[in-house]
Amino acid sequence: MNKKRILIFASGRGSNAEAIHEAAINGTVNGEVIGVICDHADAQVLKRAERWNVPTTVIEMKACRDKADFNEKILEAAKSYNPDLICLAGYMRICGENLINAFENKIINIHPALLPSFRGLHAQRQAVEAGVKVSGCTVHFVGTGLDDGPIITQVAVPVYDDDTEDTLADRILQQEHPAYVRVVTAYCADELKIAGHHVSGMHTK
Ligand code: GRF
């Protein structure tokens, strides 16, 4: 089977992107990170991509006329990489419908909470504030709403009495990297099947 062409979208640190790239390099994932699209010129993920020798495209909102223009430029850039899979990895924007339609069932995201709880920003803070005793991370296909779309996998982590947003975020992040790699591995092996809201292929007994 040909290696899948994986395009990363990221806005900041890029530790999930690093985990995916590492898994592609060491052969866990039958794929290759072929590019990074980033909406912040000073994001750490761009330094990582330089180290990997992977091309990057920076599109900043402030350089665009409006949201529609930004979405157009993002779509054009994404198409230019001809990806089989787009991994949102700490990408802090909602994807335009133009992108979602052009890459149907090919865009996945990781969210630091057990969806459908705590959508949107500061999911770990939301969890601490809500007093839940279990949170975690979710990897899902990207739909047109905020943090919706068919769930591929979830990993639970405990929330302790003295947790802060930061301590919980660290504990969740440790689970994010292997969870995202497992999903990308399954995707690149053509093991995921989507039927409506249900994704199968990773959670068998
Ligand atoms: C992660 O917690 C991810 O779940 C969320 O943003 C954070 C990005 O971290 N969407 P990194 O950039 O992958 O290090």
Side-chain angles (χ1 to χ4, degrees):
M1 203 193 304
N2 284 344
K3 281 190 178 186
K4 299 275 196 254
R5 296 172 59 77
I6 303 167
L7 176 62
I8 304 278
F9 276 36
S11 300
R13 180 176 57 187
S15 70
N16 278 287
E18 184 82 45
I20 293 166
H21 176 260
E22 177 63 34
I25 291 292
N26 73 25
T28 305
V29 161
N30 182 35
E32 187 186 356
V33 174
I34 44 103
V36 174
I37 293 183
C38 180
D39 62 334
H40 286 291
D42 56 358
Q44 197 188 333
V45 70
L46 294 170
K47 303 230 163 54
R48 296 182 193 261
E50 200 179 310
R51 176 158 46 76
W52 310 334
N53 239 325
V54 160
T56 59
T57 305
V58 175
I59 300 170
E60 294 192 295
M61 183 66 102
K62 65 183 182 210
C64 296
R65 277 193 310 280
D66 51 23
K67 213 184 211 173
D69 183 39
F70 177 82
N71 285 344
E72 255 333 291
K73 290 197 164 80
I74 289 280
L75 176 61
E76 238 172 77
K79 280 184 173 164
S80 76
Y81 284 97
N82 190 26
D84 299 304
L85 172 65
I86 295 177
C87 292
L88 310 186
Y91 182 62
M92 304 307 281
R93 292 193 180 273
I94 296 176
C95 291
E97 285 196 25
N98 58 347
L99 187 84
I100 294 170
N101 293 335
F103 294 98
E104 204 187 347
N105 297 338
K106 289 185 174 176
I107 310 177
I108 60 183
N109 180 44
I110 187 152
H111 183 74
L114 296 176
L115 292 172
S117 290
F118 312 130
R119 292 184 161 118
L121 293 176
H122 309 300
Q124 304 94 332
R125 187 192 305 167
Q126 293 184 55
V128 169
E129 282 175 358
V132 296
K133 305 305 177 203
V134 177
S135 191
C137 61
T138 303
V139 186
H140 63 98
F141 283 104
V142 172
T144 47
L146 177 65
D147 294 320
D148 72 356
I151 290 174
I152 307 170
T153 199
Q154 296 186 298
V155 179
V157 310
V159 182
Y160 297 126
D161 295 349
D162 60 355
D163 263 331
T164 62
E165 176 180 7
D166 289 346
T167 58
L168 180 59
D170 284 348
R171 193 173 311 116
I172 293 173
L173 190 68
Q174 283 177 32
Q175 300 303 323
E176 288 185 39
H177 299 158
Y180 216 162
V181 166
R182 282 196 298 277
V183 168
V184 174
T185 302
Y187 187 98
C188 291
D190 290 330
E191 287 171 0
L192 301 181
K193 306 263 171 301
I194 311 182
H197 286 296
H198 296 269
V199 180
S200 58
M202 284 188 65
H203 284 266
T204 47
K205 274 186 208 115

